[in-house]
Amino acid sequence: MRSAAWFSAGGRAGMIYRSWLQSEGFTPEVFDGRPVIGIANSWSELTPCNAHLRGVADAVKRGVWQAGGFPLEFPTMSLGETLMRPTAMLFRNLMAMEVEETLRANPLDAVVLLSGCDKTTPAMLMAAASVDLPAIMVTGGPMLNGKFRGGDVGSGTHVWRFEQEHAAGRMTQKELFAAETGMARSCGHCMTMGTASTMACLAETLGMQLPGSAAWPAADTRRIRTAHQAGQRIVELARTDLRPSRIMTRQAFENAIIVNAAIGGSTNAVIHLLAIAGRLGVQLSLDDFDELARPVPTLVNLMPSGQYLMEDFCYAGGVPAVMSELVGLLHTDHVGVTGHAMADTIAAAECWNRDVIRPLADPLQPAGSGTAVLRGNLCPDGAVIKQSAASPELLRHRGQALVFDSIEEYHVAAADPSLEVDESTVLVVRGAGPQGYPGMPEIGNFVLPRKLLERGVTDMVRISDARMSGTGFGTVVLHVAPEAAAGGPLALVRTGDWVSLDVPARTLTLEVSDEELTLRRAAWQPPEAQFSRGYARLYVDHVQQASQGADLDFLVGASGAAVPRDNH
Ligand code: FES
């Protein structure tokens, strides 16, 4: 065991390692060579989606002790999507770096990763990939279905809907207050197929979570039992040295892209999977997402693409039931943390609700309706659009751009009843990419101009270098790369330019001549640096574009789990 370098050491060093741990009340038997299992806990009261993870950690510990391991829980940085400013995404790489260094610096043989809210799952997977110690992820599970006036309301998705209703004058502030109390009625992460649910499902598909565990609601005791089983299983993984690099292979990522299309998963999955793959040296490109997703229909009828919520998805059979439908498209010999091929998981899968998880022959949306990758002179390094959450009639659209250099500038204009805009306008917001904001916030599905909402307009083509919440919807082109702040063509668009979007042809075109764009580029000035020091400075100087996963350039790749030098 790796931990023997600490606990089997002789002399002063070994005494220091063992003695101080005994101050926590552990008896000397824990140093007998058994696997030492870290429990990386992103619990925080500042991260509501992860606030219940201490209870989950207790269950993991029971499993570890039962299987003959020695569990040591430790806190990690936590990223709460709802509270952190300017955006939790700014800190995903910082959390990944913090977890990676904590794992490597300590006497751990394997780790259980406890995550939940959007960025905590990819950050922990990135860390685990770069250290490459045996690891199992246990996500905290979704909230129970939100309820308001007798119906289901989805976290995030209904926030956007209610915001539009309120802006259009069809919902009062008092009604909004009533809705918000019913929307979050248990512990857990967002219960739509937003980014947290998506990443939980994809962690399971990648083979890093136990089968079925992505969907158990946070309040369901099966979540706790799964955590206990993960504690048992990680001891075995430590003994057999089954590492993330053997689990998260190219095949695993291909499966994840296919499942992401079938579940109507978040566009954020594109960025996170690229970043995780980058840590492992797995060759994955933006175009893989389009090519692999094209033959895949949307099967899962969950908000924001569909009607139901994660609790329903759980009762319908969860990820294994989806994989069972996709069996002809997936790599079924891929081995996950169970140590068994996916084919075994799929063979045991059953679907209990065909309206929630549709059969391949009767999908929610046809093949090719998932996240599409666009190219063109406006996005030479790519952009994405979630077709299943867009308006079909807008997927081919030509309109004149109305351009804003920041989301704040847009919000002021959008509230102005005299704004010159109609439903054919293409709304462009820039300065919201990884470098530009910084951190690439989820503002891509910005609310429509008030005067159009009052006329009953519900969707328009919107283009930005931002991301969109996985719970969001609309005909929104996201992740335009290179971003405006990096001098991408998005920086050169002017109000009145014609822009054409052709999603079936996968193109996004700025109808301005190359000569004119060359003149505009010569006159373009990069934005002034917002930060002179600190993490934000480091981030802006080193963040990669969305098309590469928005990781920091010096974090790409792995350093392994070699035991660091002894300072005693
Ligand atoms: Fe944490 Fe949605 S805010 S998952």
Side-chain angles (χ1 to χ4, degrees):
M1 288 291 143
R2 179 177 183 269
S3 58
W6 282 262
F7 300 134
S8 297
R12 186 185 64 210
M15 184 178 181
I16 290 171
Y17 295 132
R18 292 183 297 270
S19 176
W20 264 259
L21 261 180
Q22 288 177 78
S23 76
E24 295 183 36
F26 296 117
T27 54
E29 295 78 50
V30 298
F31 308 119
D32 63 2
R34 69 186 72 192
V36 179
I37 306 298
I39 302 172
N41 196 343
S42 57
W43 166 84
S44 169
E45 287 184 341
L46 291 170
T47 306
C49 309
N50 298 23
H52 62 300
L53 290 181
R54 284 192 294 184
V56 178
D58 286 343
V60 174
K61 279 183 208 170
R62 287 198 296 273
V64 172
W65 284 121
Q66 190 179 38
F70 174 26
L72 288 170
E73 181 187 358
F74 59 92
T76 71
M77 186 179 188
S78 193
L79 307 178
E81 199 64 31
T82 52
L83 300 180
M84 290 189 91
R85 293 185 178 195
T87 166
M89 182 63 177
L90 176 62
F91 307 106
R92 181 200 65 177
N93 302 336
L94 180 62
M95 179 176 173
M97 187 159 60
E98 187 247 25
V99 175
E100 173 185 344
E101 298 303 338
T102 303
L103 295 179
R104 187 175 296 113
N106 282 289
L108 302 174
D109 299 308
V111 64
V112 177
L113 306 164
L114 303 187
S115 69
C117 199
D118 291 14
K119 307 301 176 290
T120 56
T121 296
M124 284 183 152
L125 288 175
M126 289 159 73
S130 284
V131 182
D132 206 24
L133 278 175
I136 292 183
M137 174 155 273
V138 179
T139 52
M143 289 185 266
L144 298 173
N145 288 4
K147 295 289 178 185
F148 177 59
R149 292 181 172 167
D152 283 347
V153 291
S155 37
T157 302
H158 272 86
V159 171
W160 321 126
R161 288 192 183 146
F162 291 151
E163 181 187 30
Q164 288 200 355
E165 290 297 291
H166 184 241
R170 291 188 289 268
M171 206 168 171
T172 66
Q173 185 61 53
K174 197 173 163 195
E175 288 171 318
L176 282 183
F177 285 145
E180 74 187 25
T181 60
M183 198 160 55
R185 62 189 190 88
S186 82
C187 57
H189 59 67
C190 291
M191 80 315 253
T192 44
M193 190 54 81
T195 305
S197 300
T198 298
M199 291 311 299
C201 292
L202 299 189
E204 185 176 327
T205 307
L206 285 168
M208 293 298 293
Q209 289 222 72
L210 291 174
S213 62
W216 300 128
D220 193 314
T221 54
R222 287 170 290 186
R223 164 80 35 209
I224 298 299
R225 280 177 256 159
T226 290
H228 185 113
Q229 288 164 343
Q232 294 173 304
R233 181 64 195 146
I234 193 67
V235 176
E236 199 51 35
L237 286 194
R239 290 188 172 125
T240 56
D241 204 28
L242 182 54
R243 294 167 180 257
S245 58
R246 284 173 54 202
I247 293 173
M248 291 193 279
T249 58
R250 165 84 194 185
Q251 284 192 342
F253 281 98
E254 290 187 3
N255 282 355
I257 292 170
I258 290 165
V259 167
N260 187 51
I263 62 178
S266 165
T267 45
N268 287 320
V270 177
I271 295 181
H272 297 322
L273 289 177
L274 285 169
I276 299 163
R279 297 301 186 97
L280 292 153
V282 170
Q283 296 303 313
L284 200 67
S285 74
L286 201 51
D287 293 325
D288 287 326
F289 286 82
D290 199 305
E291 281 164 29
L292 290 163
R294 270 196 202 224
V296 185
T298 308
L299 300 181
V300 174
N301 187 5
L302 253 61
M303 298 179 203
S305 302
Q307 172 186 358
Y308 295 100
L309 294 167
M310 283 297 283
E311 200 182 331
D312 309 302
F313 181 59
C314 172
Y315 304 148
V319 172
V322 178
M323 293 182 86
S324 159
E325 279 304 312
L326 299 169
V327 70
L329 297 168
L330 297 173
H331 300 286
T332 54
D333 53 349
H334 164 237
V335 173
V337 289
T338 60
H340 301 293
M342 287 294 161
D344 292 359
T345 303
I346 291 169
E350 287 189 73
C351 181
W352 304 101
N353 188 329
R354 279 298 182 195
D355 198 31
V356 176
I357 301 173
R358 298 282 184 84
L360 205 55
D362 180 26
L364 180 71
Q365 298 203 31
S369 57
T371 296
V373 176
L374 308 173
R375 299 278 179 177
N377 66 345
L378 193 47
C379 55
D381 290 342
V384 303
I385 183 168
K386 185 173 178 177
Q387 298 176 87
S388 60
S391 301
E393 68 277 13
L394 288 174
L395 292 177
R396 272 202 180 96
H397 180 78
R398 184 171 179 268
Q400 285 182 285
L402 181 57
V403 182
F404 301 89
D405 284 321
S406 72
I407 188 64
E408 292 80 10
E409 186 187 314
Y410 171 76
H411 282 148
V412 171
D416 183 349
S418 65
L419 181 69
E420 287 194 29
V421 64
D422 64 35
E423 49 267 63
S424 73
T425 302
V426 173
L427 298 168
V428 176
V429 170
R430 61 192 173 200
Q435 291 177 24
Y437 196 71
M440 205 181 178
E442 294 183 334
I443 54 94
N445 58 322
F446 44 88
V447 71
L448 303 185
R450 179 180 293 267
K451 79 183 224 187
L452 297 182
L453 287 172
E454 287 171 353
R455 278 181 24 209
V457 177
T458 57
D459 195 11
M460 292 169 69
V461 173
R462 286 158 274 178
I463 298 173
S464 74
D465 43 15
R467 296 176 301 118
M468 170 176 81
S469 164
T471 63
F473 54 88
T475 310
V476 287
V477 176
L478 306 156
H479 310 182
V480 168
E483 63 174 300
L490 191 67
L492 310 179
V493 188
R494 291 181 182 168
T495 291
D497 288 346
W498 285 93
V499 175
S500 61
L501 169 69
D502 189 339
V503 178
R506 301 295 194 262
T507 58
L508 179 66
T509 310
L510 176 61
E511 297 182 11
V512 174
S513 70
D514 290 345
E515 294 75 23
E516 171 63 17
L517 289 177
T518 302
L519 289 174
R520 291 185 190 180
R521 177 165 300 287
W524 179 74
Q525 296 286 330
E528 280 184 23
Q530 298 179 59
F531 299 94
S532 60
R533 64 167 301 282
Y535 173 71
R537 177 78 254 165
L538 182 77
Y539 179 90
V540 170
D541 285 349
H542 290 280
V543 70
Q544 298 184 318
Q545 289 295 291
S547 53
Q548 299 167 287
D551 201 356
L552 301 186
D553 52 14
F554 61 85
L555 289 177
V556 173
S559 304
V563 176
R565 290 164 68 185
D566 185 355
N567 68 331
H568 297 301

